[in-house]
Amino acid sequence: MKIVLISLFMVVNVFIANAKEKVSTGDKVAQVLSLNLSPSEVVDSVLEVIYLECDGGLEGFAEGEVIMVEKVIPFIKNHAKQLPLKKQSEVYIMYAKLCGRQGKERMGDAQRLCDSAIGLARKAGDWNRMGRVYELKALFEEMYGDSRRAFEYFGRSIDCFRKSKENAEVDISRSLFNQANILLRLSDYDGIARVIQRYEDLLNHLKNPVNRDRIYFDLLRIKDVYFGEKLKGAGVSQKKALLDSLNQAELGAIALLETSDNEELRCYIDPTWLYYNRAVSFVEYFDHPSIDSVEYYISKMTERKGLNREEIDFEIQVSQQSLRASMWAKLGQYEKAWTMLEELLGQIQVTPNSKNLIINRIDIYEDLKKISETSGRYKEAAAYGDSIRQLEHQRYDMQLAESVKDSEAKYKTQETALALSRSEARRATTLAWFIGVAALFLLSSAIFMFYAAKQRRRRMAREVEFAKLRADIGKQLTRQYIEGLENERNRMANELHDGVCNDLLAVQMQLPENQARMLDACRESVRRISHELMPPEFAYANIDEVIRYFVNKQSGSPRVEYFSSACDWSEVPDATALEIYRIVQEAVGNALKHSGAALITVDMNLSRGLLRVEIRDDGKYNTSGKRGQGLGSMRRRASSINGDLMIENLGTGGTRLVLTVQL
């Protein structure tokens, strides 16, 4: 704490020293680096300066990155022996944040910097910091990458928090909550159920009782959303049990908030919208919502505030009235609901500062449109649809106006700075000639750099075009190679099945019974080879059924298991399905021959046009140093269908192959 106070004091002194003239962030950092402080105090102060100065959008993040590269990273490398590993890890975490917040194209750099921070924290034995960096990696994946990879990173953060010497139960709860949100977006309700179980295990083994209310409230929020989503597609037999579970979760959250003495929880939760969600549940999930229950929770929305009707926030009033109208519409009283919503629109028109409630107005028009359609007022429904479109355009115009206003504000700021510069230039007449020469030099440099950058962009465009042409030619050659290979397989399969098998049958019929049995086994082997070359199942089955049939044929040891998601597999084109089958066939064959595994699993999922196949084994490959053609063939097949193939050795033993194809 003492070090932090000293660092902040020094930073404030630097800012005060530069208050009379504008100093760049880079100069401020350079001044802090020159102070007579310990390396740790310098790092604390520098990170504070960058945090305060470089948080103003893409330009600020880019400026902070330049300062990191040119000044901070060299400093910590020169003082590595005096700086604790934890402090070095902090620098790389800040560096990663600056890169990651500049957009998707910088995510790779941000993740590599996070890995460096994790490595330093691991050497220091700081499991808590490792957990927080894994959380940062997960957030980058959530923003720009793969949700499932983000889920894995949150899982690693939980593992690190569990090993931390500090009490990290709230941190574990936060990562579990994020995992549940990811699974909700993926509609993986079985996964959410597992997260709920882990939450309950965490609560049953709490080390610090102070954390209980906060963690239990997050669990109830997850249950609320989980049971609400399950209710949407539930049958009549399941609905009652799910409603009971939903009621327990919502009532438990309300009771906890009303009785808990945890101040952090009270600051963390807005009770207004907790009561609102409870009222929404009555309207949305009950066929005949209780009027008393809905009105009770609507009134509770403002009860804790202790305000009169004039003082209640207008947005809350709009939400209350909209909810009442939805209730009456659910009860079949469309005229009453329609009248309430029309009155509400009138209030919005005459209420000051209500123009910002565009989202609420769109929701109201949506409800009016739905009520009109249900009650047969189709002309009115069309008019409401037009109003919705007008509001959408108005919202876009407002966003555009705000953007223009921000640009004008920045321009005025720049104009003011320019005017001050000119005023100072007039007073400093002795330096006027030097400023003129410098300006001319900068202008010449700018013109030169502009034309150089233009030429460089043209050259890069030509190189990109050539690379794209070369990639297209490579893909075309790959497709031709695969098509030729499949045609040859098909021809050989037909020759074996229609030619050799039939010839063997003719010979078999002319031999004695004991010799005929031997020939029959030979004919069956030829027939099996023919089917493996070109499976006849593709003529009447989809890719899921073909691969399931292929896996089921692999009897004996090792055991081969197949899992797939429930979806419409007919969406997969035949040509793509054949290449996927070949890749699975090759991968399973390699595992059977070379891995020495006890279990091989094939997992295939299709979601939102993205097909993902994972083949995993628990063995260890032993190819005696030989390198076959199977891997190259699989990569060529994946490339021919615009797929991506990834193979990795698992740390616990075994190998995982993942194929992803965007249909």
Side-chain angles (χ1 to χ4, degrees):
M1 186 66 183
K2 182 179 179 182
I3 293 176
V4 174
L5 291 174
I6 293 174
S7 302
L8 289 175
F9 177 73
M10 299 306 299
V11 171
V12 171
N13 282 340
V14 171
F15 275 87
I16 293 175
N18 298 305
K20 295 183 179 180
E21 58 177 311
K22 186 171 179 60
V23 180
S24 69
T25 306
D27 291 339
K28 292 177 183 178
V29 170
Q31 291 180 24
V32 173
L33 292 173
S34 65
L35 295 174
N36 186 22
L37 299 171
S38 70
S40 292
E41 292 170 341
V42 169
V43 168
D44 287 335
S45 301
V46 165
L47 293 182
E48 186 69 20
V49 171
I50 293 175
Y51 175 78
L52 295 173
E53 295 279 315
C54 300
D55 195 27
L58 292 177
E59 292 184 1
F61 303 143
E63 182 185 14
E65 182 184 1
V66 171
I67 294 171
M68 279 286 181
V69 173
E70 295 180 352
K71 295 180 172 62
V72 183
I73 297 299
F75 178 85
I76 68 168
K77 288 182 178 180
N78 292 335
H79 297 82
K81 293 183 179 179
Q82 295 84 25
L83 276 171
L85 294 172
K86 294 182 180 180
K87 199 65 65 179
Q88 297 181 46
S89 179
E90 286 181 21
V91 173
Y92 281 99
I93 292 172
M94 175 65 78
Y95 193 177
K97 290 179 179 178
L98 292 169
C99 286
R101 296 174 73 181
Q102 292 182 50
K104 183 178 181 179
E105 63 276 5
R106 300 303 309 279
M107 187 182 75
D109 296 329
Q111 295 291 38
R112 283 189 289 274
L113 290 166
C114 284
D115 291 336
S116 298
I118 289 172
L120 291 165
R122 180 179 285 109
K123 289 181 181 179
D126 191 345
W127 289 99
N128 191 278
R129 190 176 302 278
M130 288 172 61
R132 294 184 182 277
V133 182
Y134 274 121
E135 277 189 313
L136 183 60
K137 287 173 71 70
L139 293 174
F140 287 146
E141 289 291 344
E142 274 282 83
M143 288 189 292
Y144 311 123
D146 183 0
S147 292
R148 292 196 177 275
R149 192 173 291 118
F151 182 88
E152 293 178 5
Y153 283 141
F154 279 125
R156 294 185 189 180
S157 72
I158 292 171
D159 294 337
C160 292
F161 288 139
R162 291 189 187 280
K163 297 177 182 178
S164 173
K165 295 179 181 178
E166 305 173 29
N167 186 283
E169 292 168 340
V170 173
D171 299 313
I172 294 172
S173 173
R174 183 177 60 247
S175 291
L176 285 172
F177 194 86
N178 285 320
Q179 282 189 322
N181 279 329
I182 292 173
L183 293 171
L184 179 63
R185 287 195 297 274
L186 298 174
S187 299
D188 186 352
Y189 300 118
D190 292 338
I192 298 176
R194 289 192 291 272
V195 171
I196 289 174
Q197 182 60 54
R198 296 181 71 182
Y199 250 112
E200 291 175 344
D201 291 341
L202 176 64
L203 284 168
N204 291 333
H205 299 89
L206 277 182
K207 296 179 181 178
N208 188 351
V210 174
N211 297 328
R212 183 185 181 281
D213 286 356
R214 172 69 182 273
I215 296 173
Y216 184 46
F217 189 86
D218 285 343
L219 171 60
L220 292 173
R221 289 170 65 197
I222 294 174
K223 285 185 174 182
D224 183 10
V225 176
Y226 171 70
F227 291 121
E229 289 295 322
K230 293 280 283 185
L231 267 168
K232 292 178 181 178
V236 177
S237 60
Q238 299 174 312
K239 193 170 182 179
K240 185 179 184 306
L242 289 171
L243 275 174
D244 290 342
S245 299
L246 178 68
N247 287 333
Q248 290 177 11
E250 291 183 342
L251 291 174
I254 291 173
L256 180 63
L257 184 65
E258 291 178 344
T259 60
S260 175
D261 56 357
N262 189 317
E263 289 299 325
E264 181 184 1
L265 181 63
R266 292 179 179 276
C267 297
Y268 175 58
I269 302 302
D270 182 357
T272 300
W273 302 110
L274 189 65
Y275 294 127
Y276 175 79
N277 289 333
R278 178 60 179 160
V280 167
S281 294
F282 276 99
V283 174
E284 187 170 342
Y285 301 122
F286 287 81
D287 295 331
H288 299 283
S290 167
I291 299 174
D292 292 340
S293 298
V294 175
E295 288 291 346
Y296 172 77
Y297 286 107
I298 287 177
S299 64
K300 292 280 285 186
M301 290 175 63
T302 54
E303 179 183 283
R304 288 177 60 121
K305 291 180 176 290
L307 305 176
N308 59 43
R309 184 173 179 80
E310 288 72 23
E311 295 172 324
I312 295 173
D313 185 86
F314 186 68
E315 185 177 2
I316 296 177
Q317 294 183 40
V318 171
S319 301
Q320 290 174 316
Q321 195 72 349
S322 298
L323 190 53
R324 288 190 177 99
S326 298
M327 175 188 69
W328 290 117
K330 189 70 175 286
L331 292 171
Q333 298 193 30
Y334 301 115
E335 190 68 29
K336 187 171 185 177
W338 184 85
T339 302
M340 293 178 70
L341 292 174
E342 281 289 351
E343 290 177 354
L344 187 57
L345 282 175
Q347 293 177 19
I348 291 177
Q349 297 293 340
V350 300
T351 301
N353 302 321
S354 65
K355 293 183 179 180
N356 294 329
L357 298 176
I358 289 180
I359 299 297
N360 300 70
R361 292 164 69 190
I362 291 175
D363 292 339
I364 293 170
Y365 277 118
E366 289 281 4
D367 291 340
L368 283 168
K369 181 173 178 288
K370 184 176 180 181
I371 291 171
S372 297
E373 290 173 344
T374 304
S375 57
R377 301 176 180 180
Y378 299 110
K379 290 185 179 179
E380 293 179 358
Y384 292 134
D386 292 338
S387 299
I388 292 170
R389 286 187 288 274
Q390 291 175 7
L391 285 173
E392 291 285 0
H393 288 305
Q394 183 180 347
R395 182 171 62 173
Y396 172 77
D397 292 341
M398 288 178 62
Q399 292 173 346
L400 184 61
E402 288 294 329
S403 177
V404 171
K405 187 184 295 184
D406 291 342
S407 300
E408 289 177 348
K410 291 179 181 178
Y411 179 73
K412 289 179 180 178
T413 302
Q414 293 172 353
E415 277 191 330
T416 303
L418 182 60
L420 291 173
S421 299
R422 288 173 178 171
S423 176
E424 292 175 0
R426 284 194 295 269
R427 289 195 297 268
T429 54
T430 56
L431 298 176
W433 66 270
F434 175 77
I435 294 174
V437 172
L440 182 61
F441 174 75
L442 290 174
L443 179 61
S444 302
S445 300
I447 294 173
F448 173 77
M449 291 174 65
F450 171 77
Y451 281 104
K454 189 174 182 180
Q455 293 296 327
R456 186 164 56 252
R457 284 196 298 272
R458 289 179 177 176
R459 185 172 63 254
M460 290 178 64
R462 289 195 296 269
E463 291 176 355
V464 169
E465 184 177 358
F466 178 73
K468 183 179 179 181
L469 178 61
R470 184 169 55 190
D472 291 341
I473 293 173
K475 285 185 178 180
Q476 186 177 359
L477 292 175
T478 299
R479 290 193 191 100
Q480 292 176 355
Y481 169 79
I482 295 297
E483 288 174 2
L485 184 63
E486 289 301 329
N487 290 336
E488 185 63 19
R489 281 176 176 264
N490 194 16
R491 187 188 66 79
M492 291 179 64
N494 290 332
E495 288 290 337
L496 288 173
H497 188 275
D498 299 338
V500 177
C501 282
N502 290 335
D503 291 343
L504 289 174
L505 177 61
V507 173
Q508 178 184 355
M509 295 175 64
Q510 299 177 16
L511 292 176
E513 183 179 353
N514 59 341
Q515 296 178 1
R517 282 196 299 270
M518 296 174 59
L519 193 59
D520 184 58
C522 176
R523 188 168 64 85
E524 184 60 30
S525 297
V526 172
R527 182 173 177 274
R528 178 178 53 79
I529 294 172
S530 167
H531 284 193
E532 289 181 354
L533 284 170
M534 184 54 63
E537 293 82 5
F538 275 107
Y540 54 85
N542 58 43
I543 181 63
D544 177 56
E545 294 166 338
V546 171
I547 292 182
R548 187 180 300 279
Y549 177 72
F550 167 73
V551 170
N552 290 339
K553 288 194 301 183
Q554 315 301 319
S555 59
S557 180
R559 190 170 80 257
V560 184
E561 296 180 352
Y562 175 65
F563 306 94
S564 66
S565 61
C567 60
D568 184 8
W569 290 102
S570 63
E571 294 180 9
V572 183
D574 293 343
T576 303
L578 180 58
E579 300 306 331
I580 293 170
Y581 170 76
R582 293 298 186 204
I583 292 172
V584 172
Q585 188 182 35
E586 180 69 27
V588 172
N590 286 344
L592 289 170
K593 294 175 185 177
H594 305 298
S595 70
L599 174 64
I600 302 169
T601 59
V602 180
D603 191 344
M604 186 164 67
N605 295 284
L606 176 61
S607 176
R608 297 180 182 177
L610 180 66
L611 189 146
R612 184 177 186 274
V613 185
E614 178 177 315
I615 299 101
R616 184 192 292 257
D617 64 72
D618 58 359
K620 183 177 182 182
Y621 277 77
N622 181 14
T623 59
S624 303
K626 298 180 181 179
R627 190 180 182 122
Q629 298 181 354
L631 181 57
S633 174
M634 286 191 288
R635 292 194 185 280
R636 285 194 295 272
R637 289 184 183 277
S639 175
S640 70
I641 55 176
N642 294 322
D644 183 45
L645 190 69
M646 185 271 291
I647 301 175
E648 65 174 341
N649 294 323
L650 303 177
T652 57
T655 304
R656 182 176 71 166
L657 180 146
V658 179
L659 169 68
T660 54
V661 181
Q662 186 69 51
L663 301 180

